[in-house]
């Protein structure tokens, strides 16, 4: 199993090497890697939890600074946000879907074919409500029923800004959990 390098080694790596670590913590995503390289890597952090929480803070700022971000970087903020969030696989993705090693492990307990069908229906409703996004939630410790209730509530709420913020929070919670599981001194 992959093991994260010590944090000082990660900080000293070339961007291509850092991308491998970032892909393990989050999901493989060129947009997220670009964002982290431009808005996080140069900041001070001395552990993976600090690094992940810096990513969390900067992603939250991104959700709230559309015009400034776009003008400063020549990158449309909503497109960047959607690219980052949609890098996560659909919850309950069919078994034929190629998932990262970490996502496959996290989703394997989601249940029967009936549950898979229910999740597929909810994913479709979610993606119609929030075009360009994927439902992202920290699954660990939640029952299937809790996840379904959460997904239904978020669809009913129909608040795109809050949805983007919650998706980023969940991504970072997932990354913290993955870092802990990758058996490194945090």
């Amino acid at each position: 199993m992959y093991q994260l390098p010590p944090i000082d080694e990660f900080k000293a790596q070339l961007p291509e090497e850092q991308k491998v670590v970032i892909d393990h913590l989050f999901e493989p995503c060129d947009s997220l890697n670009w964002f982290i390289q431009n808005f996080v890597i140069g900041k001070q952090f001395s552990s993976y939890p600090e690094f992940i929480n810096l990513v969390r803070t900067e992603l939250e700022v991104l959700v709230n600074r559309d015009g400034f971000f776009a003008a400063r970087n020549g990158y449309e903020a909503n497109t960047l946000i959607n690219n980052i969030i949609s890098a996560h696989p659909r919850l309950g993705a069919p078994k034929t879907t190629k998932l990262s090693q970490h996502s496959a492990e996290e989703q394997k307990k989601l249940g029967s074919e009936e549950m898979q069908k229910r999740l597929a229906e909810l994913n479709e409703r979610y993606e119609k409500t929030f075009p360009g996004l994927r439902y992202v939630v920290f699954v660990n410790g939640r029952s299937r029923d809790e996840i379904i209730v959460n997904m239904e509530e978020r669809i009913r709420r129909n608040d795109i800004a809050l949805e983007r913020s919650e998706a980023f929070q969940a991504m970072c919670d997932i990354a913290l959990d993955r870092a802990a599981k990758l058996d490194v001194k945090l």
Side-chain angles (χ1 to χ4, degrees):
M1 177 175 225
Y2 179 82
Q3 186 173 10
L4 294 172
I7 195 70
D8 289 335
E9 184 179 316
F10 167 69
K11 290 164 66 172
Q13 289 177 331
L14 295 172
E16 307 82 57
E17 297 166 317
Q18 289 174 334
K19 183 180 183 330
V20 172
V21 174
I22 293 165
D23 287 352
H24 276 279
L25 292 172
F26 297 92
E27 285 293 311
C29 177
D30 291 340
S31 295
L32 179 60
N33 185 60
W34 176 87
F35 181 80
I36 289 171
Q37 291 297 330
N38 284 280
F39 294 95
V40 179
I41 289 295
K43 297 185 184 275
Q44 295 295 315
F45 55 90
S46 59
S47 68
Y48 281 103
E50 284 181 26
F51 167 69
I52 293 164
N53 284 317
L54 275 172
V55 173
R56 181 190 311 269
T57 299
E58 291 301 321
L59 287 170
E60 190 62 36
V61 169
L62 174 62
V63 169
N64 296 306
R65 69 170 176 200
D66 294 343
F68 172 76
F69 182 84
R72 183 168 171 237
N73 297 290
Y75 209 125
E76 207 280 312
N78 289 334
T79 301
L80 180 62
I81 291 167
N82 290 358
N83 287 347
I84 293 169
I85 293 171
S86 66
H88 270 263
R90 288 179 179 89
L91 196 59
K95 293 181 194 268
T96 56
T97 304
K98 186 176 187 282
L99 300 175
S100 72
Q101 168 192 348
H102 303 293
S103 285
E105 186 67 28
E106 292 157 359
Q107 289 202 28
K108 74 179 181 183
K109 298 177 184 166
L110 286 178
S112 65
E113 286 203 26
E114 184 178 311
M115 177 60 73
Q116 301 290 332
K117 184 178 177 187
R118 179 72 177 125
L119 288 170
E121 291 167 1
L122 284 170
N123 280 319
E124 188 174 319
R125 278 183 46 214
Y126 180 91
E127 291 171 19
K128 282 183 182 174
T129 305
F130 305 110
L133 297 186
R134 294 258 172 86
Y135 172 74
V136 183
V137 68
F138 182 45
V139 172
N140 195 12
R142 291 186 183 195
S143 72
R144 289 177 222 116
D145 291 336
E146 286 176 288
I147 293 166
I148 286 176
V149 167
N150 177 267
M151 196 172 194
E152 289 171 335
E153 287 172 353
R154 286 166 64 175
I155 292 167
R156 267 193 309 278
R157 180 178 65 201
N158 194 13
D159 182 331
I160 189 76
L162 189 54
E163 195 54 35
R164 288 175 172 150
S165 180
E166 284 193 27
F168 284 153
Q169 295 301 319
M171 286 173 46
C172 293
D173 291 343
I174 293 165
L176 287 168
D177 185 63
R178 288 178 179 181
K181 289 176 179 173
L182 292 173
D183 195 29
V184 17
K185 184 178 181 205
L186 300 173

